[in-house]
Amino acid sequence: MSDFTSGFWSNYIIIATVLALLFCVFLITIVSGKIEKNAKNEPTHVWDGNLSEYNNPLPGWWRWLFIAFLVFSAGYLLYYPGLGSFAGVGQWTQEEQFNREMQALNDKVQPIYDGFLASSAEDLAKDAQAMAMGERLFLNNCALCHGSDAQGSIGFPNLKSGAWNWGGSPEQIKESITEGRYATMPGGLVNETELPAVIAYLRTFSGGAQSAEAMAGKPLYDERCGSCHGEDGKGNLTGLPDLTDQVWVYGSSDNAIANVINKGINGDNSMPAHKDLLSPGKIHLLTAYVRHLNSQ
């Protein structure tokens, strides 16, 4: 059933569809009647004395097949939602049909995935068949954000980098998949004149030069950033990134870093919870596969 913002379009489609069906009935009735009435098995045109054209009626089976299709169309439109916003007497919806089919499929494959719960993530990572199934789960549920190669993009973590903002143990990865993650960081803590020094100091954590400008940014960092990322820049496993690992989820250029500092992060590119989308067995297998990515 379609959703219309105005009742006009629903009524328009209903009227147009019904009139089209009635016109088809009228057309087959009138044309068939006239042809049968005028048919005398005499040619209406003759070309070169050999080629003749006759005005014979349609074969009965052909005409009744056409009528049967019209009757079927009318019944279909009454039972299924095909007339504007009319839901149909069968109350069928494609969403309900999809859910039924997905439930039937899940009921069929769930025992297979539940069987993986008896094995640890480490053991599953050694099982080629399990990892092949985990890869398909990843491509269907994770690749849209993290990429088919799991290397992410701007705003989406590279799962092969070895950097885990929320922890890389099986339990922590499983929690990330199950409950989702919501990253946040306040913006506007550093003004435009202070930004270059703060960025220069941030780069020292990952091997940048200990320049005078960088040292000027140290007290600013300690005062406004250190409480979250730590004085050593290593952050923690509650979503506060480690600034020493040379992994920049939101970009490593000065402009990209300045943009994050200025605007902050308010759940940008948050990871949704998958507990209502995937069964525990699938989440367990996906956990093993994600950890396995760092060993490739």
Side-chain angles (χ1 to χ4, degrees), residues 23-44:
F23 177 75
C24 288
V25 173
F26 170 79
L27 186 63
I28 190 65
T29 301
I30 294 300
V31 171
S32 297
K34 285 186 176 181
I35 292 177
E36 289 179 353
K37 182 178 179 181
N38 298 327
K40 298 178 180 179
N41 202 31
E42 296 179 356
T44 55

Side-chain angles (χ1 to χ4, degrees), residues 70 90 100 123 180 240 250 282:
L70 292 178
R100 282 201 304 268
D123 290 339
L240 300 172
Y250 294 93
K282 290 182 178 180

Side-chain angles (χ1 to χ4, degrees), residues 239-286:
L240 300 172
D242 182 348
L243 303 177
T244 70
D245 56 15
Q246 299 188 26
V247 176
W248 303 88
V249 175
Y250 294 93
S252 59
S253 68
D254 286 353
N255 286 337
I257 296 173
N259 187 59
V260 172
I261 295 174
N262 282 330
K263 297 181 179 179
I265 300 171
N266 298 302
D268 303 4
N269 305 324
S270 293
M271 177 175 169
H274 285 69
K275 59 186 176 183
D276 295 329
L277 301 174
L278 301 175
S279 67
K282 290 182 178 180
I283 291 177
H284 185 65
L285 180 58
L286 197 52

Side-chain angles (χ1 to χ4, degrees), residues 201-222:
Y201 181 69
L202 289 176
R203 293 195 182 281
T204 66
F205 289 129
S206 54
Q210 301 276 346
S211 64
E213 183 179 44
M215 291 304 97
K218 183 180 187 309
L220 294 171
Y221 172 88
D222 291 341

Side-chain angles (χ1 to χ4, degrees), residues 5 17 42 44 60 64 82 90 93 141 157 165 169 173 190 197 268-269 283:
T5 57
T17 304
E42 296 179 356
T44 55
W64 283 109
T93 66
N141 297 278
N165 292 341
S169 70
I173 295 174
V190 179
D268 303 4
N269 305 324
I283 291 177

